[in-house]
Each structure stands twice: as C-alpha cells, then as structure tokens.
C-alpha cells in the first residue's frame, strides 16, 4: 500500500534496474541462420533482408568463425539449390556430397564446438517450392516423411549436432528419431519446428532461397495444408507436446514477435528447451523502418530480443544475432 510500497524505488537508476532485472540476454541465447550457395568467393546480397547474404562455402566458414568469436554457439543452415538439381522428390537432399552435407562437414572441421543445426525440409530441393512431395495436386505426408528421414540421416552422417525438421509433416519426429537410433546416431538431437504457422512474415526468406511455392493450378498455392492456422493457439501446444513425445529435444515456435503468446504457452507445457525463430519479415520490418529514420534500430532490436527471451525462449534464431552480440558484448 502506498506510501509503504513505492515501486519506483527499484527503477531509480541503471544499477538498481540491472540488479533486479528478471530477464537476461547474451550471445549464448542466439542461433544464427545462414544461407549457403554454390561457388567460391560468392557473396550475394538479399535485397529484402539488408545486411544478409548468400555465401559460398569458403565465405560461410569465415562467417561462422566470426560468429563464434562473438560468442554465438549455434548456426542454422539453409542452402540455395541449383535449379537443375531440383525435382519433386528432393533426391538431392540426401546426396552425401550435396551442398548441405559439404557445409556441415566444413563447419565442424573449422569450428568443432559450433553447434550445427541444418534445416530438414524439401522446399529448397523441390521444383514446386513445397516442403514435401506432390501427388495428384496434394502434398502427401508419409512419402515426404520417408524423404525427410533419409535427409536427416545424411545430415547426421555429415556431422550435424542436431537435425531441424521444419516441414510440419505428421509423425516425422518419431520416424527420424527411430532412424537415428537404429543407425547409431544416439547423440544427434532433434530441434523440431513444432508450432510453425502459415505466416506472411516468411516472404524475404523465400527470396533468399528461391523456394516460394510455384504458381500453378495443379498444386497448392500456399502451405496452409501443413503449416498451422495463425488463428489457433491450442493446436500449437498440442503439436509441441506430440513432438516431445516423439523424441524432440528442442521445440520451436515460428514466427517470433507476433506469436509470443504461443511461446509462453508452449514453455509452460513442455519440459524441454524452447526455441523461437525471429523470421525474415520481422527482421526486414525493423531494417526498413530504421532506414526511414522512424525507429532507433539498435534499441528496437535489443528490445525485441529481450521480449522473445522474456516470453520463454531458451534459444533465439535471429538474423540480428551478430549485430546484437556486438552490442551485448560491450
């Protein structure tokens, strides 16, 4: 009761605010998403994601070393697949000498302690830009899961620490976990994109990988038959709980800022670490507003990351990782 209780006493200056701060943020919380392209000495800017590039493998290693020196301990890898390697079944996805597999080996050779979490989905490999195999105008679940399992095994054999299925097929975590166990990859973890919503925030990412669904009358025009309806809350919790039962070591909520209610609900429901992906559209919005002078870039960036952490994230996959690490390290 006032005046016995004056809450502002704990806000008087930065020293007391830092002493009683409930949420802390450090580079240890970040995972850096990276885009890898074929070739040597390649650095291709992604116009819709200022400051983000597709790098060839040699430049990717430089980026990984820089991230490690900043205190970032994990990278999430995506590859830009050449059109001539794409098909409907994603066969290139489990090529032991494919770009993803080369990248995993190269990163683990260069920075052995960096945690490598390659993306597991067929959209970069698909002629249709979908996360699975299309038959009779529909994305089929079980055959896609078989393909994702082969892909996951190839990642494990290349040296991945975790595989990261982002496809939202039913039952894929259990199938992948069983295959990893049966093939001796007992210590390879699964970070499952458990509550991945069909969001418009992904647009710039699809520019980065040229992986948007193809506009055709014969196939689904979007990913709403497998990614979740953004109007739903309980469904996200159910998906996360099922993935944990099937063997997921980490569950992810995607996107980030607009879905912090889901992050908190999932955090309260599961007893494994929760990852959050602050996606390309969220990144691009901050960059665009800051470029216009409408927002203070660094203050907004750090505030958003704190909010994601406060909501319950143990891991934040963010394109801001390096910039934020520089500020936090100061």
């Amino acid at each position: 009761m006032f005046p016995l209780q004056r809450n502002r006493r704990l806000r008087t200056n930065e020293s007391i605010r830092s002493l009683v701060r409930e949420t802390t943020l450090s580079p240890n919380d970040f995972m850096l998403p990276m885009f890898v392209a074929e070739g040597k000495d390649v650095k291709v800017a992604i116009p819709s994601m200022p400051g983000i590039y597709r790098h060839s493998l040699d430049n990717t290693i430089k980026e990984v070393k820089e991230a490690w020196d900043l205190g970032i301990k994990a990278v999430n890898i995506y590859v830009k697949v050449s059109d001539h390697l794409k098909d409907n079944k994603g066969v290139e996805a489990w090529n032991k000498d494919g770009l993803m597999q080369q990248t995993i080996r190269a990163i683990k050779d260069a920075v052995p302690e960096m945690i490598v979490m390659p993306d597991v989905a067929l959209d970069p490999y698909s002629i249709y830009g979908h996360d699975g195999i299309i038959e009779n105008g529909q994305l089929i679940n079980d055959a896609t899961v078989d393909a994702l399992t082969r892909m996951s095994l190839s990642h494990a054999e290349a040296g991945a620490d975790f595989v990261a299925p982002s496809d939202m097929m039913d039952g894929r975590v259990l199938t992948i976990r069983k295959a990893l166990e049966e093939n001796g990859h007992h210590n390879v973890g699964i970070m499952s994109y458990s509550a991945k919503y069909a969001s418009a925030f992904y647009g710039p990412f699809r520019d980065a990988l040229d992986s948007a669904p193809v506009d055709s009358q014969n196939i689904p025009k979007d990913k709403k038959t497998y990614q979740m309806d953004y109007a739903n809350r309980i469904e996200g919790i159910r998906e996360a709980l099922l993935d944990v039962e099937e063997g997921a070591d980490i569950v992810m909520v995607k996107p980030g800022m607009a879905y912090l209610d889901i992050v908190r609900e999932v955090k309260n429901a599961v007893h494994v670490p929760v990852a959050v992906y602050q996606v390309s559209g969220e990144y691009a919005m901050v960059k665009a507003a800051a470029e216009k002078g409408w927002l203070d870039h660094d203050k907004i960036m750090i505030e958003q990351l704190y909010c994601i952490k406060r909501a319950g994230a143990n891991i934040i996959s963010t394109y801001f990782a390096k910039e934020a690490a520089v500020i936090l390290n100061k």
Side-chain angles (χ1 to χ4, degrees):
M1 178 184 291
F2 179 87
L4 300 181
Q5 294 293 329
R6 292 179 181 265
N7 292 336
R8 288 181 57 195
R9 293 179 187 132
L10 299 181
R11 305 175 199 150
T12 304
N13 53 51
E14 179 56 25
S15 294
I16 187 61
R17 289 194 297 270
S18 64
L19 275 175
V20 300
R21 189 163 289 142
E22 299 171 33
T23 303
T24 59
L25 187 71
S26 84
N28 289 329
D29 299 314
F30 300 151
M31 177 164 57
L32 176 64
M34 305 186 74
F35 302 118
V36 186
E38 296 280 3
K40 292 191 68 175
D41 197 24
V42 173
K43 182 179 181 180
V44 178
I46 301 166
S48 55
M49 300 176 68
I52 303 299
Y53 301 86
R54 287 197 298 266
H55 288 288
S56 53
L57 186 50
D58 51 342
N59 286 335
T60 296
I61 297 304
K62 294 176 184 177
E63 287 284 303
V64 170
K65 289 179 178 179
E66 182 180 337
W68 180 262
D69 289 342
L70 287 169
I72 297 165
K73 305 296 195 308
V75 290
N76 192 199
I77 305 299
Y78 302 85
V79 294
K80 170 69 170 68
V81 179
S82 299
D83 287 345
H84 74 277
L85 295 174
K86 296 182 180 183
D87 60 23
N88 184 31
K89 295 185 177 180
V91 173
E92 178 65 17
W94 54 87
N95 178 1
K96 66 178 182 179
D97 295 316
L99 181 57
M100 178 66 87
Q101 290 76 4
Q102 292 180 47
T103 302
I104 295 166
R105 288 192 292 266
I107 293 174
K108 294 305 292 185
D109 285 344
V111 188
E113 293 182 57
M114 179 67 83
I115 300 299
V116 179
M117 299 191 184
D119 179 58
V120 176
L122 296 187
D123 51 329
Y125 302 89
S126 170
I127 55 175
Y128 299 120
H130 274 286
D131 291 35
I133 298 168
I134 302 293
E135 285 186 7
N136 301 318
Q138 300 293 324
L139 191 148
I140 56 173
N141 192 91
D142 295 4
T144 295
V145 169
D146 291 341
L148 297 171
T149 302
R150 297 182 71 174
M151 186 179 183
S152 297
L153 284 173
S154 77
H155 292 177
E157 288 160 5
D161 300 283
F162 284 75
V163 294
S166 63
D167 55 284
M168 290 299 290
M169 297 300 113
D170 292 332
R172 90 276 207 214
V173 172
L174 178 60
T175 306
I176 291 170
R177 185 70 267 164
K178 285 183 175 179
L180 291 171
E181 294 296 323
E182 290 168 1
N183 286 273
H185 300 296
H186 311 299
N187 293 324
V188 175
I190 299 175
M191 181 183 71
S192 173
Y193 289 57
S194 298
K196 181 178 180 180
Y197 287 83
S199 171
F201 283 106
Y202 304 149
F205 176 93
R206 291 171 184 167
D207 293 341
L209 292 185
D210 188 25
S211 61
V214 174
D215 187 10
S216 170
Q217 293 182 343
N218 300 321
I219 62 170
K221 64 180 180 179
D222 53 39
K223 301 188 177 186
K224 292 182 179 180
T225 65
Y226 47 102
Q227 294 179 359
M228 289 173 47
D229 185 343
Y230 53 69
N232 293 351
R233 177 180 59 86
I234 295 173
E235 183 183 7
I237 303 164
R238 184 169 71 246
E239 288 280 5
L241 288 170
L242 285 171
D243 282 358
V244 172
E245 289 180 8
E246 292 181 12
D249 301 281
I250 301 169
V251 295
M252 177 181 276
V253 176
K254 181 182 179 182
M257 286 301 298
Y259 294 78
L260 295 188
D261 59 322
I262 309 301
V263 176
R264 174 43 58 185
E265 294 260 17
V266 168
K267 179 67 173 180
N268 289 343
V270 303
H271 298 286
V272 299
V274 175
V276 174
Y277 200 147
Q278 187 184 32
V279 299
S280 58
E282 298 172 282
Y283 173 88
M285 289 165 63
V286 174
K287 290 292 183 181
E291 185 179 330
K292 290 282 190 180
W294 296 339
L295 296 174
D296 184 308
H297 176 279
D298 290 354
K299 288 181 179 179
I300 289 291
M301 172 180 67
I302 295 298
E303 181 178 342
Q304 288 195 347
L305 293 169
Y306 261 100
C307 291
I308 294 170
K309 182 79 182 293
R310 186 193 66 218
N314 301 98
I315 302 167
I316 306 173
S317 184
T318 175
Y319 301 98
F320 288 119
K322 288 168 58 181
E323 293 176 278
V326 169
I327 291 173
L328 295 171
N329 286 336
K330 292 180 181 179

